[in-house]
């Protein structure tokens, strides 16, 4: 890894994409574009996280999540993590896939989880789009932590300036859109181009025998396509149209257009309809012409870049960034201005479409003329839509922001400083800790209580191994269905034995620390609490040994004050560097420790790793109902299956 100017090892840049829409949506060109951008940055060595929700443009867009859908709908945490091509997508589960039906409770849960991932992942840059009130919080919370943010803008729908008030840079795909917003609002987005991997869109064979139209919505010009198909249905029945459905519905468009012409029909004989697909190469292999007669502002339609890369000439409206996208690799035409007005139901007179129908016929009948456009399209694709060039443009645009290294800042101090009352909210439990191919992960659970922490972490990270330390005999019976190896000893700074004071009230205050107030509510004095001798394990030695076997180690501590001794020893022996993240409940105020000791410890830890608080009581069953216990056990069995793998970890002997 490269070194910085001070000679120390430079860590990788960290970028967080945050938006409620799912980036795995195959019906959204915007989602597909952003996802490819993130994959390019990851390939350049950046750390990438994605935070979203199960919100899609269309039900057809859920195609890539089909195998996960049952898990999504039944997820007890209302959160699911899906790994795709090396990137983990943290998704808040919503009842509906439509953004307009996202409830207030779901939006609130999304917002709080977003704040948590900001403080856990500590990105150098937050990447987003959107202008709703929830979207505004994305850049606002980043700004509070002095994390720069970048907005992605590829349509004409943004109005006013509040949406970009907290945004440091605005990225777009075409100069046309940059000029549009400069003229409208004085905003100058930075054009970087499209991000399309040729291998995923360029067909291996080319039959070139169809007129293709993708996403049959009114704003995309579905009504004009229907007019053209009608004009050629009898004149040239050999010319076949293929309509690829996405968020639009071709059937409804045909009914509406034919009814307006006096003969209501439900289908056209020269049009075949293809369902949404995640392999667009099958469509392009048959395409001779691509139609995109958009009525709304197309900043830089993805399908136009794909058509140029395939050498498929396009016929487009001279509106938005369409001309810039195809240059001389296709044909442009204009429609009356009123056709560009929402809700895009006004169509040009069908007589005005006859010259365009003639052009389609010419592209089928005049092979020399057609091949000239094929060569032009290929040239435009190579010159204008090279993904490597776009990637370098983007990195150069992001570089000044990334170099601020906002991920190294003390977010808690900044939040306290910015809050009018000097209050810092609690950080919450993790979304996930992704493993790369070939990596192993270990969850070290110190102070396991009734197994709730192991359950919560392992449900989100089933690929990890887990080991739990819990010395209280009253809690051991709850571990039969917990995905962890239980060590019936205390986590501490040495091996041997130690005195352990038991909290008989609710078992959550038991401690090795003599000064710790066992019953925090004061109903039972410390001297009235039973004391037992228990075995203890040196956590520093465990981490040292684990680091030879595991690439990622997550340490969770809820050991009622003993966390200070354990963590200070880890610092002294230079072992914190092996910990991916530390989750802890801190108890300095319950033990009579000075706050300065706590603050010094946190500062020292945060120089080497992430530190966050932990709460897993939502999975606790101690003194809970039998139904609650059975429900937790059933959830664990359903999600993780056979628990043998988790309960036979050989890192330490099981007792």
């Amino acid at each position: 890894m490269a070194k910085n100017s001070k000679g120390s090892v430079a860590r990788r840049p960290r970028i967080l994409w945050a938006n409620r829409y799912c980036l795995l949506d195959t019906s959204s060109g915007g989602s597909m574009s952003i996802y490819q951008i993130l994959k390019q940055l990851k390939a350049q060595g950046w750390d990438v996280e994605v935070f979203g929700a199960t919100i899609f443009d269309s039900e057809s867009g859920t195609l890539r999540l089909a195998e996960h859908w049952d898990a999504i709908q039944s997820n007890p945490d209302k959160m699911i993590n899906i790994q795709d091509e090396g990137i983990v997508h943290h998704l808040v589960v919503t009842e509906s896939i439509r953004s307009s039906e996202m409830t207030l409770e779901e939006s609130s849960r999304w917002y709080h989880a977003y704040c948590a991932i900001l403080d856990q992942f500590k990105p150098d840059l937050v990447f987003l789009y959107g202008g709703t009130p929830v979207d505004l919080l994305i850049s606002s919370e980043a700004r509070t932590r002095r994390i720069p943010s970048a907005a992605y803008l590829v349509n004409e729908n943004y109005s006013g300036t509040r949406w970009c008030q907290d945004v440091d840079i605005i990225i777009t795909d075409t100069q046309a859109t940059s000029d549009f917003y400069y003229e409208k609002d004085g905003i100058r987005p930075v054009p970087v181009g499209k991000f399309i991997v040729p291998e995923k869109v360029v067909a291996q064979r080319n039959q070139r025998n169809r007129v293709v139209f993708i996403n049959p919505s009114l704003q995309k010009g579905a009504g004009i396509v229907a007019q053209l198909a009608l004009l050629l249905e009898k004149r040239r029945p050999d010319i076949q149209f293929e309509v690829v459905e996405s968020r639009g519905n071709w059937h409804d468009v045909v009914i509406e257009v034919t009814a307006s012409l006096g003969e209501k029909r439900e289908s056209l004989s020269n049009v075949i309809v293809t369902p949404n697909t995640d392999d667009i190469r099958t469509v392009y292999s048959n395409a001779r012409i691509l139609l995109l007669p958009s009525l709304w502002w197309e900043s830089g339609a993805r399908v136009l870049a794909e058509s140029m890369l395939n050498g498929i000439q396009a016929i487009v409206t001279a509106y938005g960034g369409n001309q810039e996208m195809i240059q001389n690799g296709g044909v442009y035409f204009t429609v009356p201005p009123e056709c560009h007005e929402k809700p895009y139901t006004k169509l040009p007179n069908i007589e005005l479409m006859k010259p365009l129908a003639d052009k389609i016929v010419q592209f089928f009948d005049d092979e020399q003329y057609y091949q000239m456009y094929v060569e032009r399209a290929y040239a435009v694709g190579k010159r204008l839509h090279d993904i490597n060039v776009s990637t370098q443009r983007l990195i150069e645009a992001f570089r000044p922001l990334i170099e601020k290294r906002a991920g190294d800042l003390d977010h808690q101090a900044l939040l306290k400083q910015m809050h009018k009352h000097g209050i810092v909210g609690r950080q919450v439990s993790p979304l996930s800790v992704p493993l790369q191919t070939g990596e192993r992960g270990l969850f070290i659970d110190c102070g396991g209580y009734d197994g709730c922490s192991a359950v919560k972490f392992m449900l989100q990270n089933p690929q990890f191994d887990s080991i739990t330390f819990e010395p209280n005999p009253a809690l051991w019976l709850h571990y039969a269905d917990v995905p962890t190896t239980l060590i019936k000893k205390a986590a501490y700074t040495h091996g041997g034995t130690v005195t352990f004071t038991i909290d008989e009230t609710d078992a959550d205050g038991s401690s090795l620390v003599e000064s710790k107030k066992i019953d925090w509510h004061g109903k039972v004095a410390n001297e009235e609490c039973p004391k037992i001798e228990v075995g203890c394990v040196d956590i520093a030695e465990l981490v040292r040994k684990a680091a030879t076997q595991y690439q990622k180690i997550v340490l969770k501590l809820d050991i009622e004050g003993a966390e200070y001794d354990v963590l200070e020893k880890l610092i002294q022996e230079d072992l914190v560097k092996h910990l991916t993240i530390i989750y802890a409940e801190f108890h300095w105020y319950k033990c009579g420790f000075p706050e300065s000791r706590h603050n010094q410890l946190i500062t020292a830890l945060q120089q080497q790793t992430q530190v966050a608080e932990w709460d897993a009581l939502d999975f606790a069953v101690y003194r809970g109902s039998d139904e609650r216990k059975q429900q937790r056990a059933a959830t664990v069995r359903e999600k993780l299956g056979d628990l043998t793998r988790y309960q036979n970890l050989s890192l330490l002997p099981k007792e």
Side-chain angles (χ1 to χ4, degrees):
M1 190 174 293
K3 293 187 176 183
N4 60 27
S5 59
K6 296 182 180 180
S8 59
V9 175
R11 63 167 176 78
R12 297 188 294 185
R14 294 194 291 260
I15 186 169
L16 171 66
W17 170 262
N19 184 266
R20 291 170 298 154
Y21 281 88
C22 179
L23 285 192
L24 297 172
D25 186 353
T26 58
S27 66
S28 168
S31 290
M32 289 188 287
S33 294
I34 288 294
Y35 194 17
Q36 190 55 58
I37 287 174
L38 296 177
K39 285 189 283 190
Q40 288 299 113
L41 293 175
K42 185 173 180 61
Q44 293 291 320
W46 292 37
D47 286 334
V48 177
E49 291 279 340
V50 174
F51 179 61
T54 52
I55 299 295
F56 298 80
D57 274 2
S58 167
E59 187 172 351
S60 64
T62 65
L63 186 65
R64 291 176 67 181
L65 270 70
E67 63 181 287
H68 303 283
W69 207 250
D70 289 343
I72 289 173
Q73 295 301 309
S74 63
N75 189 275
D77 286 339
K78 299 298 183 181
M79 178 73 70
I80 191 166
N81 305 300
I82 296 173
Q83 188 170 76
D84 185 85
E85 298 189 47
I87 295 178
V88 176
H89 299 249
H90 311 291
L91 303 177
V92 170
V93 177
T94 55
E95 289 294 325
S96 171
I97 66 168
R98 296 175 177 83
S99 61
S100 61
E101 297 176 6
M102 193 172 185
T103 67
L104 180 61
E105 186 275 332
E106 289 169 343
S107 295
S108 178
R109 182 154 40 86
W110 190 94
Y111 162 70
H112 288 294
Y114 165 65
C115 291
I117 198 172
L118 278 181
D119 296 327
Q120 293 161 13
F121 181 52
K122 296 177 72 70
D124 298 304
L125 181 67
V126 172
F127 199 17
L128 68 144
Y129 58 43
T132 70
V134 174
D135 298 322
L136 300 182
L137 290 169
I138 300 172
S139 54
S140 177
E141 286 293 341
R143 185 177 182 181
T144 300
R145 294 160 174 79
R146 295 187 187 172
I147 302 172
S149 59
Y152 188 67
L153 173 63
V154 289
N155 61 51
E156 65 171 338
N157 299 332
Y158 289 78
S159 59
T161 57
R162 177 61 186 91
W163 65 272
C164 61
Q165 175 177 300
D166 300 309
V167 171
D168 293 88
I169 189 171
I170 304 168
I171 300 297
T172 190
D173 49 3
T174 60
Q175 188 63 47
T177 296
S178 180
D179 293 341
F180 174 84
Y181 275 94
Y182 184 73
E183 294 173 9
K184 185 166 76 79
D185 296 318
I187 298 169
R188 178 62 83 184
V190 179
V192 296
K194 304 302 289 186
F195 292 78
I196 298 171
V197 178
E199 293 77 13
K200 293 192 174 183
V201 301
V202 176
Q204 297 302 308
R205 57 185 181 85
N206 301 100
Q207 297 188 32
R208 300 186 183 276
N209 57 4
R210 293 176 184 171
V211 179
V212 168
F213 175 55
I214 298 173
N215 194 354
S217 57
L218 290 174
Q219 58 264 39
K220 292 284 188 179
I224 292 176
V225 175
Q227 289 179 327
L228 292 171
L230 276 167
L231 288 171
L232 294 173
E233 186 180 31
K234 292 182 179 179
R235 175 184 171 188
R236 289 295 299 269
D238 59 306
I239 296 178
Q240 189 175 56
F241 287 68
E242 179 177 4
V243 173
V244 182
E245 293 207 315
S246 184
R247 72 187 84 169
N249 187 296
W250 176 252
H251 176 260
D252 293 344
V253 171
V254 171
I255 292 175
E256 186 174 340
V257 171
T258 55
S260 70
L261 296 174
E263 184 184 353
K264 182 178 178 180
R265 296 171 58 182
E266 295 196 357
S267 64
L268 301 177
S269 61
N270 59 341
V271 178
I272 63 169
V273 180
T274 302
N276 182 38
T277 175
D278 61 354
D279 187 359
I280 198 67
R281 292 173 298 181
T282 58
V283 173
Y284 290 137
S285 67
N286 294 312
R288 187 176 184 86
I289 301 169
L290 180 83
L291 296 180
L292 189 64
S294 302
L295 300 181
W296 71 348
W297 181 277
E298 290 281 3
S299 177
R302 181 183 182 87
V303 295
L304 294 183
E306 293 174 349
S307 70
M308 296 298 100
L309 290 169
N310 275 282
I312 301 168
Q313 66 89 29
I315 299 178
V316 304
T317 45
Y319 192 60
N322 287 349
Q323 291 172 268
E324 183 179 338
M325 291 294 292
I326 68 171
Q327 297 189 358
N328 67 346
V331 175
Y332 335 114
F333 67 98
T334 60
V335 296
E338 60 267 21
C339 295
H340 293 300
E341 298 174 2
K342 294 180 180 180
Y344 311 109
T345 53
K346 296 178 182 178
L347 296 177
N349 188 296
I350 194 169
E351 292 297 316
L352 296 177
M353 294 294 100
K354 287 184 177 180
L356 204 58
D358 292 339
K359 180 63 67 174
I360 292 174
V361 171
Q362 183 179 11
F363 279 126
F364 271 83
D365 291 349
D366 189 337
E367 189 63 25
Q368 184 177 358
Y369 181 71
Y370 175 74
Q371 287 300 326
M372 177 182 70
Y373 274 91
V374 169
E375 292 174 7
R376 288 179 179 180
Y378 274 130
V380 172
K382 183 177 181 180
R383 182 179 70 253
L384 194 63
H385 303 305
D386 187 319
I387 190 170
N388 296 312
V389 174
S390 297
T391 300
Q392 290 308 309
R393 290 195 200 107
L394 181 74
I395 289 175
E396 287 305 310
F398 282 170
R399 191 183 304 282
L401 302 178
I402 286 293
E403 287 179 348
K404 294 181 179 181
R405 295 176 65 87
D408 294 339
L409 298 175
D410 184 344
H411 288 179
Q412 298 303 291
L414 289 171
L415 290 170
K416 187 173 183 179
Q417 176 184 335
M418 292 295 293
H419 199 285
K420 291 292 185 181
H421 305 282
I423 298 171
V424 179
R426 296 180 65 201
Q427 294 173 285
V428 297
S429 56
L431 301 174
S432 81
V433 183
L435 297 177
Q436 302 302 319
T437 303
E439 286 187 333
R440 296 182 65 197
L442 175 66
F443 180 57
I444 303 176
D445 179 13
C446 300
Y449 193 54
D450 62 5
C452 54
S453 293
V455 169
K456 184 162 190 172
F457 184 86
M458 297 303 292
L459 283 175
Q460 297 178 347
N461 302 274
Q463 71 277 27
F464 268 62
D465 290 336
S466 175
I467 186 169
T468 296
F469 297 92
E470 178 49 63
N472 189 345
L475 297 165
W476 297 341
L477 59 91
H478 298 291
Y479 279 82
D481 294 292
V482 176
T484 192
T485 292
L486 173 62
I487 305 298
K488 299 174 181 177
K489 293 184 178 182
Y492 204 37
T493 58
H494 58 77
T497 60
V498 67
T499 301
F500 186 60
T501 305
I502 301 290
D503 175 7
E504 289 190 312
T505 303
D506 52 15
D508 67 353
S510 307
S511 179
L512 305 176
V513 179
E514 191 173 339
S515 62
K516 161 74 168 47
K517 190 174 182 179
I518 301 301
D519 179 12
W520 180 245
H521 302 289
K523 295 180 180 179
V524 181
N526 275 21
E527 52 269 24
E528 298 174 15
C529 297
K531 293 179 171 57
I532 61 174
E533 291 296 309
V534 299
C536 55
V537 172
D538 187 342
I539 296 301
E541 283 304 310
L542 175 65
V543 170
R544 194 189 318 276
K545 180 179 179 181
T548 66
Q549 304 177 36
Y550 294 92
Q551 288 71 45
K552 289 188 178 176
I553 302 173
V554 175
L555 176 64
K556 171 256 164 178
L557 294 158
D558 189 1
I559 49 179
E560 303 298 312
E563 65 271 13
Y564 292 92
D565 290 340
V566 170
L567 291 170
E568 286 166 354
K569 183 173 183 182
L570 288 169
I571 292 171
Q572 291 167 3
E573 300 193 6
D574 193 27
L575 295 170
V576 176
K577 64 186 178 184
H578 299 303
L579 302 177
T580 305
I581 188 167
I582 297 171
Y583 291 101
E585 288 285 348
F586 292 101
H587 304 84
W588 61 271
Y589 55 94
K590 292 185 179 182
C591 300
F593 298 158
E595 186 176 4
S596 59
R597 181 185 181 187
H598 172 80
N599 293 337
Q600 289 170 6
L601 174 66
I602 297 299
T603 299
L605 292 171
Q606 288 181 334
Q607 290 176 354
Q608 299 187 63
T609 191
Q610 300 179 61
V611 182
E613 291 194 14
W614 177 267
D615 186 353
L617 289 180
D618 47 338
F619 281 93
V621 296
Y622 179 69
R623 293 190 176 178
S625 66
D626 289 341
E627 181 181 2
R628 181 177 177 84
K629 295 172 184 176
Q630 292 167 4
Q631 183 180 25
R632 187 181 84 169
T635 298
V636 171
R637 291 284 179 181
E638 177 186 353
K639 302 295 183 183
L640 301 179
D642 182 7
L643 302 184
T644 303
R645 180 179 81 81
Y646 302 108
Q647 295 173 336
N648 289 287
L649 184 63
S650 59
L651 195 65
L652 280 180
K654 188 175 180 182
E655 298 185 13

